[in-house]
Structures are given as structure tokens and as C-alpha cells.
Amino acid sequence: MAQTRFALLFAALLLASGTSAQNQDRECACDLANLWLDVGVVQVDSDIVTLFGQSTVGSGYQDPRSTRVGLVTYASTATQQFDLNRFNSTDDFIQGIFQYAKVSTDENSIIKSGLSSAFDLMTKARANNVRRNYKQVVIVYASDYKEDGENNPLQIADQIKESGTTIITVAFNQNTGGALTAGLAKIASPGAAFKSTDMNIVGEIQNMLCQVNCFCPDTWVQYTNAFNDPTAWKYGVCLRIGEIDSMWTAAKYACQNLFQGAYLATEFDNKKHDFSRLFFSNDTTNSPPYMYHIGLSYDTATQAYTWEQPANVARLGLSGQTYKAWNSGYPQLTSSTGCVLNQQSGSDSMVGWQNENCYSVAKRYVCELSSCDTSKYCDNRV
Ligand SMILES: *[C@@H]1O[C@H](CO)[C@@H](O)[C@H](O)[C@H]1NC(C)=O
Ligand SMILES: *[C@@H]1O[C@H](CO)[C@@H](O)[C@H](O)[C@H]1NC(C)=O
């Protein structure tokens, strides 16, 4: 009884303080059970069982969101122990991989041989376009790093990365210290070099796998916390510039028609506002003064500014955020100026929000879309 009263009081306090939902950009979903990747592991540590223990290993399930895992081991030469079709359930995988769960400390280990074999494994796994829409990952556990002469692994590592596959490395020997870590960092994709002694190594790799599984359809650019930085943290949001000058109302429908679930872009905070501006001005077909429509407009029914959302999803109120980017003197609302664009007003390339006529101002625009990730499967058509 006392507990119920306390809960009610607490709920009332929350409502009163107005800390309810703030407008927020979508984070990449990270539900490990629905991870959908193709993974080649090069040597393993016993962590591997925990790493994929919550995931659906194999393929051919009714839900296409599953992860295939294969294994290469190596010393001076490499062996493909399991191709990516070998395991058809998580239990099967755990049982099969267990006997190999030990990183070789053989001093004759040549990492290049492991990587070459992994590249071959991943290429075969994709033969006949099988699971072409699944991102590929190679996870390398290594206790030694050799870069001399014909054993130099950098070229094959670059080839793997250029093919679109992410390389995650785990340095597995404290003793070789700096040299091993520095060497593996050259092989790894940006931000994907880890150490087995890291506090939460399994969690770190799982987060990285979710980031890899979070991507945009071709021709869309992913919103991240740093423009043009390959190590930046990805949001579950994709952006694309509408290529034809259109009035706001036409731009709204153009975004919706560009891709299922797309809509005119939102700006919930300064980071997103800046990212969109950099994205827009980075496109050399746009020149200053920069002007482009965004998904903000005045809704006469509710008498409030609201943000576009996917068709059939309720729009979000501007009241749900503290961030506003109005140019000085704005908003200036009349019955014909309910729509909003970003407008450069000074000689720097900064832009701010301004009201505009919804039917007459022909400008480019920025569209937005949820990324593909563990909660959103994207088939081959993307
Ligand atoms: C899984 O694979 C094994 C070995 O390839 C096979 O013996 C088994 O029948 C398969 N199980 C299912 C459910 O497909
Ligand atoms: C920025 O512009 C450069 C040069 O045109 C291009 O290669 C790059 O992909 C652009 N970056 C983004 C994120 O659009």
C-alpha cells in the first residue's frame, strides 16, 4: 500500500517536472538476438562463446536476422576449420567451436596467413550473391604480429577492408605489449582494435558488431557524431539531399517517395543541425548562400510547430526540445509562411531556421530515414 502511494507520488512528480520525452535522434538498435551479420573468426579465445551466445547462429531461419560464423586457425599456415554454413544453431556453434577456443601462442604464427585464409572464407561465403545484403566482419585474435618481408599482412588487410568487410582485432598477449597492439591497430578498421585485457572486452566487441550491423542504404549518408570521421559513433539515422529544387510541400512528398519510411529531416539538437549543414555544403553542387528545406512546419490544427516523421507516424512537437535554431527576427508566422528552411544569413557558412511560403520557394532539401540495424532488416533491394 505504502509502495503504491509512493509510486503514484513519484509518477506525479515526473509529470510535474515536465521531464517527459525529449525529441531524440534514433540510436542504432543493438538487440544481440537479432544481429544479422556474416562473421569469420581468425583464432578464438573462449570469449567467443559469450560473444555470440545471445545471437541466432546459422541461416535459413524464418526471420532473416541471423549471424553465420566461420573459423580459421593459423600458425605458420592457416586452416579453415568451419565455413560459414557449418553451424546451423547457437548450441551447435558453441559445441563445435569450444575445442578451438584457445589463442595460439606459437611463435611461428604468421598473421598474414590467417587473414588470407579468412578473406577466402568470406569470399566463398558470398558466392552466388548469397546474403549480399549482410555486412561481413572478420575478428582476429592474435598474440603475435609480424610485418617483415613476405609476411607483411597490411596489403591483404587493406584488400579485406576495401571489399567492405570490417576487421576487428583483439590483442591477446600482455607481454608483447605495445608492438602487438600497434601492429593490430594498422590491420583493424577505424576504432576496432581491442585488447583482451580491456575491462569489458566482450561488451566492446558486441557494441562494435551492432555498429557494423547499423548502416544506410546506398546513396544515403549515415548521421554520426562527427562529420566525415570514419571512427565516429553512428546514429540509427540516414540522410540524403534532395537533388531537385522544390517548394516545401513538394519536398515533403519527394522525401516520402524517395524511399519507404523517408521524410523531411529533423533537427533536434545542435549536433544534427551542424551535421546537416556540413553534409549540405560538402556537396559541391550546392553553393552559398545555403538554403534548404527541413521537416519543420506550423500545424494550424494544434497551433504548434511540428517535425515530419515517417508517413503514418505522429509528428513530433518542437515543444519537445529546448534546441531552436531560428535566425534573428524569426519565427515570423503568417498564414502563408508556415514552413521552415535553413537559410545562411551571414558571410560564414552558418545557417538558421526561417519561415517560408510552403508553395512557392523552390530549394533543395534534406531527407531522413531510419538505418538498417538489428531492429530493421533490409533486403537486397537496398
Ligand atoms: C545442422 O547441421 C548438422 C551438420 O551439418 C546436421 O547434421 C544437422 O542435421 C543440422 N540440423 C538442422 C536442424 O538443420
Ligand atoms: C564530401 O565530399 C567529398 C568530395 O566530394 C566526398 O568524397 C565525400 O563522400 C563527401 N562526404 C559526405 C559524407 O558526403
Side-chain angles (χ1 to χ4, degrees):
M1 189 63 192
Q3 269 178 350
T4 313
R5 219 180 301 144
F6 181 74
L8 282 173
L9 180 68
F10 189 66
L13 280 173
L14 267 180
L15 281 175
S17 65
T19 51
S20 55
Q22 272 276 323
N23 291 345
Q24 266 172 356
D25 281 293
R26 184 175 179 275
E27 297 284 348
C28 291
C30 187
D31 176 1
L32 296 169
N34 289 325
L35 198 67
W36 49 287
L37 293 171
D38 275 352
V39 182
V41 184
V42 182
Q43 298 206 109
V44 275
D45 165 41
S46 50
D47 275 357
I48 196 76
V49 174
T50 322
L51 195 58
F52 294 106
Q54 297 166 69
S55 298
T56 308
V57 177
S59 61
Y61 296 94
Q62 200 164 4
D63 187 328
R65 291 171 299 175
S66 70
T67 294
R68 295 192 300 173
V69 188
L71 174 67
V72 168
T73 55
Y74 72 93
S76 55
T77 60
T79 311
Q80 294 181 356
Q81 302 289 0
F82 303 116
D83 68 32
L84 272 71
N85 290 315
R86 171 59 182 79
F87 298 123
N88 51 21
S89 76
T90 309
D91 279 358
D92 196 15
F93 160 74
I94 291 171
Q95 203 176 21
I97 206 139
F98 218 86
Q99 59 177 309
Y100 296 97
K102 182 174 179 299
V103 176
S104 159
T105 49
D106 186 338
E107 286 183 4
N108 297 313
S109 289
I110 297 170
I111 196 162
K112 181 189 171 189
S113 68
L115 281 176
S116 302
S117 183
F119 193 27
D120 178 62
L121 188 79
M122 301 313 285
T123 308
K124 281 195 252 174
R126 189 166 266 187
N128 305 316
N129 283 338
V130 170
R131 287 172 56 116
R132 221 191 158 86
N133 56 322
Y134 290 64
K135 293 287 176 194
Q136 292 195 324
V137 182
V138 168
I139 306 178
V140 184
Y141 289 83
S143 62
D144 192 29
Y145 179 81
K146 288 191 180 63
E147 201 182 284
D148 51 308
E150 62 181 13
N151 295 333
N152 191 322
L154 295 180
Q155 194 187 346
I156 183 74
D158 285 344
Q159 259 178 296
I160 294 174
K161 287 181 280 189
E162 274 159 28
S163 77
T165 298
T166 301
I167 302 181
I168 295 174
T169 61
V170 184
F172 205 82
N173 188 346
Q174 296 99 303
N175 303 334
T176 46
L180 174 64
T181 314
L184 292 179
K186 289 191 253 178
I187 289 178
S189 295
F194 302 107
K195 288 186 278 207
S196 65
T197 49
D198 289 353
M199 274 290 280
N200 179 20
I201 178 65
V202 170
E204 278 184 316
I205 300 174
Q206 286 171 334
N207 278 336
M208 182 55 67
L209 292 173
C210 283
Q211 284 271 298
V212 174
N213 203 163
C214 182
F215 60 96
C216 293
D218 289 346
T219 70
W220 291 76
V221 164
Q222 194 147 12
Y223 171 45
T224 67
N225 66 3
F227 183 74
N228 252 353
D229 177 354
T231 66
W233 182 257
K234 298 176 188 173
Y235 286 89
V237 172
C238 308
L239 299 172
R240 184 168 156 185
I241 298 168
E243 280 156 16
I244 299 169
D245 286 349
S246 307
M247 59 166 176
W248 190 95
T249 305
K252 163 182 161 146
Y253 292 114
C255 285
Q256 292 177 3
N257 285 318
L258 201 52
F259 210 93
Q260 181 168 12
Y263 50 97
L264 263 179
T266 60
E267 295 188 349
F268 298 152
D269 58 26
N270 189 42
K271 264 194 304 193
K272 179 75 161 301
H273 178 74
D274 281 348
F275 187 97
S276 296
R277 173 178 60 80
L278 291 168
F279 177 40
F280 192 81
S281 58
N282 185 59
D283 179 341
T284 51
T285 64
N286 298 318
S287 53
Y290 298 117
M291 295 169 78
Y292 51 96
H293 306 295
I294 54 173
L296 187 61
S297 65
Y298 190 77
D299 179 39
T300 45
T302 56
Q303 303 203 333
Y305 282 96
T306 56
W307 289 109
E308 292 294 307
Q309 287 292 286
N312 307 323
V313 174
R315 295 195 296 191
L316 291 172
L318 183 59
S319 57
Q321 64 191 67
T322 48
Y323 178 73
K324 313 269 190 312
W326 296 109
N327 274 338
S328 117
Y330 289 87
Q332 266 182 32
L333 187 63
T334 69
S335 60
S336 63
T337 59
C339 292
V340 177
L341 86 169
N342 265 316
Q343 162 101 50
Q344 178 180 348
S345 53
S347 56
D348 59 11
S349 64
M350 297 301 171
V351 295
W353 303 344
Q354 283 188 200
N355 295 79
E356 60 167 341
N357 185 297
C358 299
Y359 297 93
S360 66
V361 183
K363 292 292 164 202
R364 290 193 168 183
Y365 48 95
V366 180
C367 303
E368 182 170 316
L369 177 72
S370 294
S371 65
C372 310
D373 58 30
T374 61
S375 74
K376 185 179 169 195
Y377 177 71
C378 298
D379 66 21
N380 275 311
R381 281 170 293 163
V382 307

